[in-house]
Amino acid sequence: MKLPDRLGRKTSTRRRASIAVSAAACVALVAPMGASAATASAATPGTHSITVLENSVYGSWTGLDPVASTVAGSFLNAIYGNLFEIGPGGKLVDDLATGYKLTEGGKQFTMTIRPGVKFTDGTPLDAASVVANIKRAILPSNGCPCLINLPIASVSATGPDTVQVDLTKKDGQFPYAMAQFYVYSPTALQKEGKAGFALHPVGAGPFSVVSATPNTKLVLTRNPDYWQKGLPYLSKITFETTATDESAYEALLAGQGQAYEDISTYSLLPQARKQLQVSQVPSALGAYVIQLNTQAAPFNNIKAREAIYYATDPAPISKGITDGAGTVTETGTEPGGLIFIPKVNGFRTYDLAKAKALVKQLGGLTISLRGASYTADVQMLSVLKAQWAQAGIKATLSDGPLPEIVNTMESHNWQAYLQQAGGFAPGLGVGLVFRFESKAPFSGVADPKLDQLITTAAQQVSKSAMEKAYTKTFAYIASKAYGPFLFTVPQYDLVAKGVSAPGLTTDQYEIFWQDAKVGS
């Protein structure tokens, strides 16, 4: 499980931000047990190591406990592995689990755990350990958004390697939520305690932790007992936090790193392509959205929300920030996703005259706009402030790292946040529940009708039914002016020549660190 990537993006799926769902998989309500066994190359493991640079947003982390951490998904994938991987086209690929099925009309999920796998402390990764993980994750006291918003009624081990999850209602996307659920050793958690475990976690992934310095550096070493024989190829991965995209780019050129995840200074890309591998990877971040706290002034007044809609012109922002790579949309969907809904009825588009009139009716509008300390986000905050000023809206700006964003949003002491919402499937990860559902810790909306629309959309199995339900849901958000969507979020990685990894240098949603190589 993970906290959403960028909390906006922060954790969820591509490796960080929302769960990917393939159309074919969603249409097939029942998947056979053991449908797609992952296989490993028989190649001899290498002795190479790489340094992966992380920006100041993803690189701001407090610990490695997958329930409580605010750490990038890449770290968690390397340490814990996945029950299922998100393969090409969003297809689920067996990993620590070897298959699943949905029964009882979609209200019962059963998966088989790969037999014989052990955590790096020598304890078994079996059904009992997975059940313990899920039960801890659904406790609201842990504050983990990964599973608490899913309709889990009960979870049990029905055999040594079989886990059964009973749901309170049908959820056609539940298998893809479990695909990104990170399983740790319950024994290690009990031994270390929460604080100790956060820096000395134990998983069954391709790598284990050597040292962890929050917000600075994470050093991982090869797991010699990894279940896929011959993998991982690398002997060591070091994740280091860097201040800016520019400093990361210079470090790669100087050989001080071999990869940089998620560059957002798009103006650097033409130059970078001459000396590095520049990979555009599938975005699981959906679209930028100006999230409004409708539970407090001024946005408890629909006129204030409408003023923001009418004062915001996303097209020139997208062109200037992403060099046109983003796609203007009125929903949290994207062209490469399971469904793409670019327009909905009732969405208030840019109209400066209407914005000015509303601001005048309100007697002025002064707001606080926050965002992440991320190059593109910081640039967008300034552009939005300038656009809104033309309508008479006064905005004060602030940005910060992920832990600060989490704390602020959970306190509900905020007015407007530049965030991301949606993704490959808008119902999972940093999606509609995360941003708009009444009980979600990072939502600014409390509307029972919207909650029901979101629930209904999540239950749909066929692509056509899903598109219809989500169109209705996004149209309702637009009708209430709960938060304007802007444009989709392009994602790029910079990688030194000669380095490769699925998802890092190829078109996949996840980075599979066990397959990362230096050279052929």
Side-chain angles (χ1 to χ4, degrees), residues 6-7 371-372 400-410 417 419:
R6 210 169 162 189
L7 210 74
L402 178 60
E404 179 182 312
I405 296 173
V406 171
N407 292 335
T408 302
M409 296 202 78
E410 286 183 329
Y417 248 112
Q419 293 285 15

Side-chain angles (χ1 to χ4, degrees), residues 23-41:
C26 269
V27 172
L29 181 60
V30 179
M33 301 292 279
S36 56
T39 58
S41 167

